[in-house]
Amino acid sequence: MHSSITAAYLTRYRSLASAAGTGAGPAPLLPLTGAQRRFLITRHRDRLARTDIVPLFFAFPRGTVDLPRLRRAALRLVARHPALRGEFTVLRGTPVLRLGGPSVEVARVPVDPAGPAATDDAAGTGLPDGAARAALLRALLDWPTDGPALRLLLAAGPEDEEELLAVALDHAACDEQSLGLVTEGLGAAYTDPDGGEHAPGPGPDEAVEVYRAAVEGQLATEARAAGEAAQLHWAARLGSLADAPEGTGPAGAARSTGMAVDRLPAVTGAARGGVFPALLDAVAAAAHRLDEGGRVLALGYPWGGRPAGTAPVLGCFLNTLVHPAPPGPPRALDALGADWWDDLDHADTPFDEVVRAARSAGASWSGALDGLLTFEDLHRRPPLVLGGAAGREVHLAGRPLAAPIAVSASHGEDLLVRLAWDRERYSDAAAEAAFAALLATLRHHLGAGA
């Protein structure tokens, strides 16, 4: 009989919560979703591992951002969201969220004009000085493991006409839907003269119960999605996966990274339904161009959100799905789409259950991913507006990666595609050739207009 990883976790959590006295009233301990547990367990096992973060970067006209006002707004935002005012920790081997008071870091990062510069995502985009970008990236790389879940860092070089604001969150506290809540909530609280203190919304105690209900609903969904049908599906899909041979690259997250960027025309009409399968095949083309091992590669992508009827709480409710990518020429888009839709029928199966299913089918795969794909519909995320000025979102190279390559696609007025790679593993020339293969595959699937 199949034993659910989620059910086993809930048993341990409830025992721990009961011992901690979390009966009536707001609980000092809250359970974590499957995605949150993965982040916490990775950090707990490797004390040298860096916190997985999700940073957004916005350029504002110099002098726009008032840091004391931004700090007040951020504290009001954090107070309304338990995922931002708690500590993600492991107690007696069980990952939990331990509630605390509102805490946030809002700071101006010193910029050394003579220091090393960072590279931007494309030439001629009018970004702030390279030294400011490098200073922000260094600050984010030094993210304290015991620090607040939200950090707002501002930097500008002496001669810059713009200042660069990093809005960075612990990934355990946010997913794509959460980013919209952060930009919208932060902008609204910044606009309010009292920092949003009297804005409508649930109080802190009510917010805890709303968040708890959302997490418990997600866990119930994950437990139901770990049944025999899901195990059989993922065993059949991923049974041919294998980890990369030892010694083929540095261990751990990539620390030195490069980035290539291109913009393609937006995809409209019925063709929009084929964008994501086309991206999966394009990432596969790039990954195989770099891997050259002839094995089936494991490409991960975040998917999902809150269960139906869940309140729009800030948190991490996504799941990581795995796409098996065999070597070879581009596949037919219809066949790719059919396989992808079949996978989405089992999208709620927790990642750990997926790995277990693959290994039960003979896969010599630990769960390590050969590449990551993230896709964002920019029409769904409000811009960050501070003092009446809308920040211009920019993308910086040099961020740490959790896989050898990572592809990000943002669909708005156009289709922005970015490939980031581990420079300790791949040369820039090899990565640029892989990016060319990615773009060629996308154009093959989406038409000459792309």
Side-chain angles (χ1 to χ4, degrees):
M1 181 178 178
H2 177 73
S3 174
S4 165
I5 293 174
T6 301
Y9 165 74
L10 281 171
T11 298
R12 295 196 306 274
Y13 161 74
R14 287 165 181 156
S15 174
L16 187 66
S18 177
T22 60
L29 298 181
L30 292 175
L32 302 185
T33 67
Q36 291 173 317
R37 297 198 305 274
R38 283 189 62 213
F39 290 128
L40 266 291
I41 289 172
T42 299
R43 298 175 205 173
H44 187 67
R45 288 176 176 170
D46 182 2
R47 293 300 183 183
L48 298 179
R50 289 187 170 126
T51 300
D52 293 278
I53 62 173
V54 180
L56 299 173
F57 300 94
F58 299 95
F60 288 92
R62 192 182 189 100
T64 297
V65 182
D66 179 332
L67 282 183
R69 184 177 174 186
L70 183 64
R71 182 187 305 276
R72 290 193 298 271
L75 284 171
R76 294 308 306 169
L77 175 72
V78 170
R80 294 179 178 275
H81 295 287
L84 295 181
R85 63 180 177 92
E87 176 192 5
F88 293 99
T89 188
V90 178
L91 300 177
R92 302 180 195 170
T94 303
V96 295
L97 174 63
R98 180 160 48 195
L99 291 177
S103 176
V104 64
E105 180 182 358
V106 180
R108 183 177 294 276
V109 177
V111 176
D112 179 4
T119 57
D120 58 28
D121 60 355
T125 52
L127 296 185
D129 183 84
R133 301 196 301 277
L136 278 182
L137 289 171
R138 285 195 298 273
L140 292 177
L141 287 173
D142 291 334
W143 186 289
T145 57
D146 58 350
L150 174 64
R151 300 175 76 196
L152 306 176
L153 306 178
L154 186 69
E159 305 300 324
D160 290 347
E161 296 181 358
E162 291 183 311
E163 52 195 8
L164 193 60
L165 177 66
V167 179
L169 297 103
D170 184 334
H171 205 339
C174 80
D175 53 19
E176 180 187 343
Q177 293 184 40
S178 297
L179 295 178
L181 294 172
V182 169
T183 56
E184 182 178 36
L186 190 61
Y190 189 91
T191 300
D192 193 322
D194 64 5
E197 184 173 359
H198 302 295
D205 291 351
E206 183 183 352
V208 169
E209 295 312 312
V210 171
Y211 178 79
R212 184 213 296 274
V215 172
E216 290 181 347
Q218 175 70 18
L219 290 171
T221 297
E222 292 177 5
R224 289 193 299 270
E228 184 177 358
Q231 292 289 315
L232 292 174
H233 171 82
W234 291 115
R237 281 284 279 159
L238 306 180
S240 59
L241 292 181
D243 284 338
E246 290 187 12
T248 57
R255 305 299 170 88
S256 175
T257 62
M259 180 183 288
V261 180
D262 204 347
R263 292 181 181 272
L264 307 179
V267 181
T268 60
R272 287 179 65 92
V275 171
F276 198 85
L279 282 166
L280 284 173
D281 208 33
V283 177
H288 277 293
R289 184 68 179 259
L290 293 169
D291 183 78
E292 299 180 344
R295 61 192 175 91
V296 179
L297 301 181
L299 306 181
Y301 58 96
W303 197 264
R306 294 112 179 99
T310 300
V313 299
L314 190 150
C316 188
F317 295 84
L318 55 79
N319 191 22
T320 300
L321 272 65
V322 182
H323 173 73
R331 295 182 58 200
L333 194 57
D334 287 347
L336 277 167
D339 286 344
W340 177 57
W341 280 108
D342 286 345
D343 289 345
L344 293 188
D345 286 339
H346 302 282
D348 293 323
T349 308
F351 184 84
D352 290 343
E353 296 278 12
V354 170
V355 175
R356 181 161 71 170
R359 294 180 67 85
S360 74
S364 55
W365 179 55
S366 65
L369 298 173
D370 300 295
L372 287 167
L373 169 63
T374 58
F375 180 76
E376 182 179 17
D377 186 344
L378 294 179
H379 295 296
R380 297 172 57 187
R381 172 153 56 84
L384 178 60
V385 179
L386 300 178
R392 177 171 53 82
E393 188 171 357
V394 296
H395 306 278
L396 305 189
R399 292 158 50 182
L401 303 178
I405 66 169
V407 174
S408 303
S410 303
H411 204 192
E413 298 302 320
D414 54 20
L415 181 62
L416 173 65
V417 183
R418 306 183 299 280
L419 169 67
W421 65 89
D422 181 354
R423 277 188 161 141
E424 297 179 17
R425 187 185 297 253
Y426 307 123
S427 70
D428 289 357
E432 287 161 4
F435 191 53
L438 183 153
L439 295 176
T441 303
L442 267 184
R443 292 187 173 103
H444 168 80
H445 286 308
L446 301 179

